[in-house]
Amino acid sequence: MRKPLRIGRAKFACLFIDLQEEHRQDERYLVEGYDAVLGNAARLQAAARRSDIPVFHCAYVVDPADGLRPFHPIGPDGRSAFSDKDDPLTAICPEVAPRPSERLLVKNEASAFGKSPLIGELREARVEWLAIAGVWTEACVDATVKDAINLGLHVLLVKDACGSGGTAMHQTGILNLANRLYGGAVVDTASACALLEGDMVEAWQIEGSVPLRYTFENAAKLYGEL
């Protein structure tokens, strides 16, 4: 259901997940429509910076020497099958790269929280609402959003500043999260930028339990209505 939403700037922060070069250069991990995702993420960053809202970034970088999760894929050369520490494509794309004053967190698991100090830093800054953008929607974005909710944060999920390997993967990933986005909201980039600048917008906010019962036939329509 769409309802009016306004968020105090002092309660806001933004988090950008894994916007790395491998998703536009490595044939194995290309994100569909990545240029549009990066463009929307850049717009969000600009709006946050104009309003002095904290901007956090994270990057997926795997060092096998640090210990790996069970069943983590390893190539024949002993390196991680993706996001290996020695791969230059783990660099964040320049158009959305952190500024020197912004926090960059490196992770070797799906969630941006995990073993990182992120939740402590957000609580120290008295953040209540976290705008989330990044890739892949059904993987690292999903894990981060669910952890944020479990940690007591309101999540503003910016649907067109997220992406995945294909449209169906992305859209169903957003719908799955929307069904369980208690205390949060789903918006597009234009609405997110307006919220970051202190305006009121109409935002999709969950009511009840699992309200979006989607099928192969109606998933795209429901996604468009969020």
Side-chain angles (χ1 to χ4, degrees), residues 15 18 49 55 67 75 98 100 102 122 139 148 166 188-189 193 197 201 205 211:
L15 175 63
D18 303 352
R49 290 162 181 158
V55 175
E102 294 171 353
L122 292 173
D188 61 13
T189 298
C193 288
E197 292 167 355
V201 305
Q205 298 169 69

Side-chain angles (χ1 to χ4, degrees), residues 40 43-44 158 160 187-197 201:
N40 287 333
R43 289 171 59 198
L44 285 174
V158 189
D160 56 347
V187 294
D188 61 13
T189 298
S191 293
C193 288
L195 286 166
L196 289 166
E197 292 167 355
V201 305

Side-chain angles (χ1 to χ4, degrees), residues 19-145:
L19 294 173
Q20 295 161 261
E21 283 289 349
E22 62 186 340
H23 303 302
R24 77 172 151 197
Q25 295 195 49
D26 189 328
E27 290 291 335
R28 301 169 299 171
Y29 304 115
L30 298 179
V31 166
E32 185 175 306
Y34 197 35
D35 286 345
V37 171
L38 293 172
N40 287 333
R43 289 171 59 198
L44 285 174
Q45 291 176 2
R49 290 162 181 158
R50 285 194 299 270
S51 295
D52 293 320
I53 288 169
V55 175
F56 292 80
H57 308 255
C58 64
Y60 206 134
V61 181
V62 180
D63 183 352
D66 288 342
L68 297 172
R69 295 172 298 157
F71 313 119
H72 185 94
I74 296 292
D77 57 0
R79 297 171 57 184
S80 172
F82 58 86
S83 307
D84 186 84
K85 67 180 180 62
D86 295 322
D87 188 342
L89 297 184
T90 58
I92 292 180
C93 297
E95 56 265 61
V96 291
R99 291 188 173 179
S101 61
E102 294 171 353
R103 187 76 161 97
L104 171 61
L105 298 153
V106 175
K107 62 187 179 71
N108 67 352
E109 57 187 303
S111 175
F113 290 96
K115 300 173 185 175
S116 87
L118 178 58
I119 187 59
E121 295 180 15
L122 292 173
R123 285 175 175 159
E124 184 176 354
R126 299 188 177 183
V127 169
E128 296 180 14
W129 277 86
L130 185 63
I132 292 181
V135 299
W136 286 29
T137 310
E138 79 289 357
C140 295
V141 173
D142 179 277
T144 300
V145 168

